[in-house]
């Protein structure tokens, strides 16, 4: 007796193969150059980056350059998974389980959250430049031609001036903004009384905040609102305005007499980098961020370089305010957190009208 052979439909075979591929997780992921490559179970060639939103454009230019260097050194193609959020939001996400290998955040206090969660070593500031990869200052952005004649923070207290800055509960940039305004108030009290007076600084912050039009979740969101036409003046990073002007947006930059030096850190998130088996890759990337090549790219995007030679080369674009101060003028981050941003701190008193 002859055995009958059933002819298999080729379309059925293709569909089954697709089903198998979907079941076992065949996938593609994009590398920094926009090309897709097949992912594998080995995470050691995939770098997960959690960054604050303002750094997005600069990081986007840096990734393919690092990728090329890593491939030339190791023969390995590194892929990137990127997340950009307000700095405080990003820090909370990493603490909550977002497994970033590298964190680029707006300020030291957000890195401290990762240290307290046992994700980052407490000695992270032993890196070059105390772990900082960029600097900036808090400035004021106005509409083209500065129609309201804004010259300093004091002008933000005038009736009818509509001010923008983001929410310090979610945004590291906003905390720098609030620190700058509060510190400018302390500077004014020193000029008038010969000593710092926190009451004067609080009253100054209150007057500015009375004119705030909206509190967005991040510095980038605040900038987007300003570009949409909201407000007369934006309190923001100098680099944000320089980057937008470089792209053809017409704003004026006002550098206050008294303002704060911003310092932005980057770290290897030890727990996750070790878990993924890519500590060497993560450390190499963080080290690359401080190289002259990377620092020149940061400068192109409006950041002040932490490399003395690069800063000397680019300093004509970055004026130094007469009364520039740093976080230590306010007592350091621990004091700032307790004085300004604790549940009964100055900022929350201002919000509550106390």
């Amino acid at each position: 007796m002859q055995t009958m052979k059933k002819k298999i439909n080729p379309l059925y075979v293709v569909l089954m193969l697709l089903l198998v591929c979907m079941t076992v997780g065949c996938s593609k992921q994009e590398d920094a150059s926009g090309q897709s490559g097949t992912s594998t179970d080995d995470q050691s060639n995939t770098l997960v980056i959690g960054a604050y939103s303002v750094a997005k454009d600069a990081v986007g230019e840096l990734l393919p350059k690092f990728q090329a260097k890593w491939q030339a050194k190791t023969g390995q193609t590194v892929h990137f998974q990127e997340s950009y959020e307000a700095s405080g939001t990003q820090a909370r996400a990493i603490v909550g389980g977002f497994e970033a290998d590298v964190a680029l955040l707006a300020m030291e206090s957000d890195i401290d959250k990762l240290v307290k969660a046992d994700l980052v070593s407490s000695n992270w500031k032993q890196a070059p430049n105390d772990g900082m990869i960029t600097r900036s200052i808090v400035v004021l952005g106005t509409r083209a031609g500065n129609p309201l004649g804004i010259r300093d923070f004091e002008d933000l207290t005038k009736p009818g001036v509509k001010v923008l800055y983001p929410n310090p509960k979610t945004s590291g940039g906003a905390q720098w903004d609030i620190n700058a305004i509060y510190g400018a108030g302390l500077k004014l009290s020193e000029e008038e009384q010969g000593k710092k007076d926190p009451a004067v600084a609080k009253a100054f912050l209150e007057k500015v905040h009375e004119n705030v039009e909206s509190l967005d979740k991040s510095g980038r969101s605040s900038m987007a609102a300003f570009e949409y036409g909201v407000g007369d003046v934006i309190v923001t990073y100098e680099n944000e305005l320089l980057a937008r002007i470089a792209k053809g947006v017409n704003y004026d930059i006002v550098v206050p007499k008294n303002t704060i030096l911003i310092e932005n850190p980057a770290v290897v998130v030890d727990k996750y980098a070790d878990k993924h088996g890519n500590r060497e890759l993560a450390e190499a990337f963080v080290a690359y961020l401080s190289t002259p090549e990377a620092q020149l790219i940061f400068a192109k995007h409006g950041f002040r370089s932490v490399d003395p030679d690069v800063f000397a080369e680019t300093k004509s674009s970055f004026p130094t305010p007469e009364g520039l101060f740093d976080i230590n003028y306010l007592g350091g981050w621990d004091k700032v957190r307790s004085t300004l941003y604790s549940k009964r701190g100055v900022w929350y008193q201002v919000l509550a009208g106390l």
Side-chain angles (χ1 to χ4, degrees), residues 63-271:
L63 294 184
K65 292 185 179 295
F66 174 76
Q67 184 184 55
K69 288 182 177 296
W70 186 257
Q71 188 163 37
K73 177 182 177 181
T74 67
Q76 186 181 51
T77 300
V78 58
H79 304 279
F80 299 97
Q81 294 178 5
E82 306 155 54
S83 169
Y84 300 94
E85 291 284 354
S87 186
T89 302
Q90 191 68 268
R92 285 191 293 274
I94 295 171
V95 170
F98 168 48
E99 295 187 2
D101 301 304
V102 172
L104 287 74
L105 299 178
M107 56 193 183
E108 178 182 330
S109 61
D110 281 336
I111 301 294
D112 289 342
K113 295 173 186 175
L114 308 187
V115 173
K116 289 177 181 177
D118 293 325
L119 299 175
V120 170
S121 171
S122 60
N123 65 358
W124 66 271
K125 292 192 73 175
Q126 292 181 8
N129 304 303
D130 291 331
M132 305 301 163
I133 56 162
T134 51
R135 296 189 178 111
S136 191
I137 61 174
V138 171
V139 298
L140 309 176
T142 74
R143 304 298 175 187
N146 193 2
L148 298 183
I150 303 297
R151 295 286 177 264
D152 213 327
F153 283 125
E154 290 170 281
D155 294 319
L156 305 189
T157 66
K158 293 178 179 178
V161 177
K162 297 176 181 178
V163 180
L164 286 185
Y165 51 63
N167 189 339
K169 184 176 181 180
T170 57
S171 169
Q175 289 195 26
W176 284 118
D177 298 339
I178 301 303
N179 295 348
I181 297 168
Y182 184 81
L186 288 177
K187 287 277 188 177
L188 287 174
S189 70
E190 280 193 298
E191 292 171 6
E192 295 169 357
Q193 305 175 16
K195 63 179 181 178
K196 296 179 186 176
D197 187 338
V200 171
K202 178 189 173 185
F204 186 66
L205 178 58
E206 285 174 332
K207 288 180 181 179
V208 173
H209 188 69
E210 286 173 4
N211 284 342
V212 169
E213 190 82 348
S214 67
L215 291 173
D216 295 291
K217 73 171 186 176
S218 70
R220 182 54 56 90
S221 297
S222 188
M223 196 74 226
F226 191 61
E227 292 195 355
Y228 190 71
V230 179
D232 302 311
V233 186
I234 184 169
V235 186
T236 189
Y237 287 8
E238 175 188 51
N239 56 278
E240 270 286 79
L241 289 169
L242 288 173
R244 299 308 298 149
I245 290 170
K247 292 183 178 180
V249 184
N250 198 7
Y251 296 131
D252 281 12
I253 298 178
V254 176
V255 179
K257 174 186 172 183
N258 300 313
T259 192
I260 196 165
L261 177 69
I262 295 166
E263 295 186 291
N264 314 119
V267 295
V268 174
V269 185
D270 299 291
K271 181 176 180 178

Side-chain angles (χ1 to χ4, degrees), residues 32-33 47 49 55-70 78 80 82 84 104 133-134 266 285-301 303:
S33 63
L47 193 67
I49 298 172
K56 183 176 182 179
D57 293 342
V59 173
E61 187 171 345
L62 287 164
L63 294 184
K65 292 185 179 295
F66 174 76
Q67 184 184 55
K69 288 182 177 296
W70 186 257
V78 58
F80 299 97
E82 306 155 54
Y84 300 94
L104 287 74
I133 56 162
T134 51
F285 179 72
V286 171
Y288 171 72
L289 298 177
S290 295
T291 64
E293 178 181 72
Q295 288 294 300
L296 281 168
I297 291 173
F298 278 125
K300 172 185 170 183
H301 288 272
F303 290 93

